[in-house]
């Protein structure tokens, strides 16, 4: 039997890093192929700088840039860590950081700053569209703050749409009726049409804070359908999805940027 090689997790090296073991394991999985590459990494949210040091140790040839609302001094003898003070949602600052450190675009961007949906969304679309390389990886951390009942834009989760609604009761009744009238084709046709009308149903969902934003991002994976004739779009050609894929874990979202150059267009949320 073929041996499956385990990909090592990322070592904390006793730095003060605010990331769980699962986060570090996932980072090991997705960053492993870049470990010895001269990558440019941007992290939003520095705190004491522990994570910047972990990235510096892991990416031996990497340039590591951090930004935080507070001024943080991160002692570093390698000269490969650079920090900025400012807001994650400040596009002018982000443009300056990119111009000074990664004019060709960042290879990896990690958002571990405010964990507020609106701010996360602003940084995401600006950085993703303008300053993430094709094939680059954008990670959003702690997206589940939208479920925290006391978080600034979070809300207690309410179970929705699990029980029997008037619609599902009607559907079951129509299904039973359809079963009993199979020998009456005209009546079957009419009842079947009514049954079809009950099918276009909107699924309710928890859409607060980062949870709502992450759910919005799923639409990007349908953009080729949305913009094409199947979705009723007006585009001449279906617009490709900007994402190659989006992998969601308890706490982290990994988004892989598509390679196609036409995708740098700003047709949504720029
Ligand atoms: C969870 S800590 C970062 C931890 C660090 N990345 C680590 O893994 O060790 C979040 C940081 O984001 C900063 N922050 C909060 N809101 C921000 C904003 N709007 N813009 C920039 N930084 C922000 C906070 O000051 C705090 O230092």
């Amino acid at each position: 039997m073929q041996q499956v090689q385990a990909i090592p997790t990322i070592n904390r090296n006793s730095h003060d890093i605010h990331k769980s073991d699962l986060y570090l394991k996932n980072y090991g999985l997705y960053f492993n192929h870049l470990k010895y590459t001269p990558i440019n990494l941007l992290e939003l949210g520095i705190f004491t700088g522990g994570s910047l040091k972990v990235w510096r140790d892991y990416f031996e040839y990497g340039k590591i840039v951090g930004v935080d609302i507070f001024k943080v001094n991160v002692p570093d003898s390698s000269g490969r860590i650079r920090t900025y003070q400012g807001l994650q949602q400040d596009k002018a600052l982000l443009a300056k950081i990119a111009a000074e450190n990664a004019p060709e675009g960042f290879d990896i961007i990690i958002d571990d700053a405010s964990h507020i949906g609106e701010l996360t969304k602003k940084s995401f679309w600006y950085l993703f569209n303008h300053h993430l390389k094709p094939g680059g990886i954008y990670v959003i951390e702690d997206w589940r703050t939208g479920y925290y009942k006391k978080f600034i834009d979070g809300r207690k989760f309410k179970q929705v749409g699990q029980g029997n609604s008037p619609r599902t009761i009607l559907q079951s009744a129509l299904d039973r009726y359809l079963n009993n009238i199979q020998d009456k084709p005209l009546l079957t046709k009419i009842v079947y049409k009514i049954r079809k009308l009950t099918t276009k149903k909107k699924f309710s969902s928890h859409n607060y804070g980062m949870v709502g934003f992450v759910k919005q991002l799923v639409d990007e994976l349908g953009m080729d359908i949305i913009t094409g004739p199947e979705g009723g779009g007006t585009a001449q050609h279906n617009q490709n999805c900007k994402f190659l894929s989006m992998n969601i874990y308890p706490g982290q979202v990994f988004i892989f940027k598509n390679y196609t150059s036409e995708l740098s267009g700003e047709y949504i949320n720029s």
Side-chain angles (χ1 to χ4, degrees), residues 18-19 43 45 47 51 68-70 86-89 112-114:
H18 288 243
K19 305 200 188 302
E43 181 158 17
F47 196 47
S51 57
D68 201 285
I69 196 167
F70 297 114
L87 297 173
Q88 74 166 114
Q89 63 273 28
D112 185 21
S114 68

Side-chain angles (χ1 to χ4, degrees), residues 191-254:
V191 177
Y192 184 70
K193 273 204 171 140
I194 298 170
R195 173 66 176 85
K196 254 174 83 178
L197 287 175
T198 69
T199 309
K200 246 191 216 299
K201 172 184 190 300
K202 186 175 166 205
F203 288 88
S204 304
S205 143
H206 184 96
N207 285 317
Y208 291 92
M210 302 259 285
V211 175
F213 170 52
V214 169
K215 289 180 182 178
Q216 273 192 354
L217 290 177
V218 174
D219 290 335
E220 185 54 42
L221 292 160
M223 204 44 79
D224 52 336
I225 307 290
I226 292 167
T227 56
E230 311 93 320
T234 51
Q236 288 277 322
H237 304 287
N238 294 27
Q239 167 75 52
N240 275 332
C241 306
K242 290 186 176 187
F243 304 167
L244 281 174
S245 68
M246 171 162 136
N247 299 355
I248 308 178
Y249 291 85
Q252 283 162 307
V253 185
F254 289 80

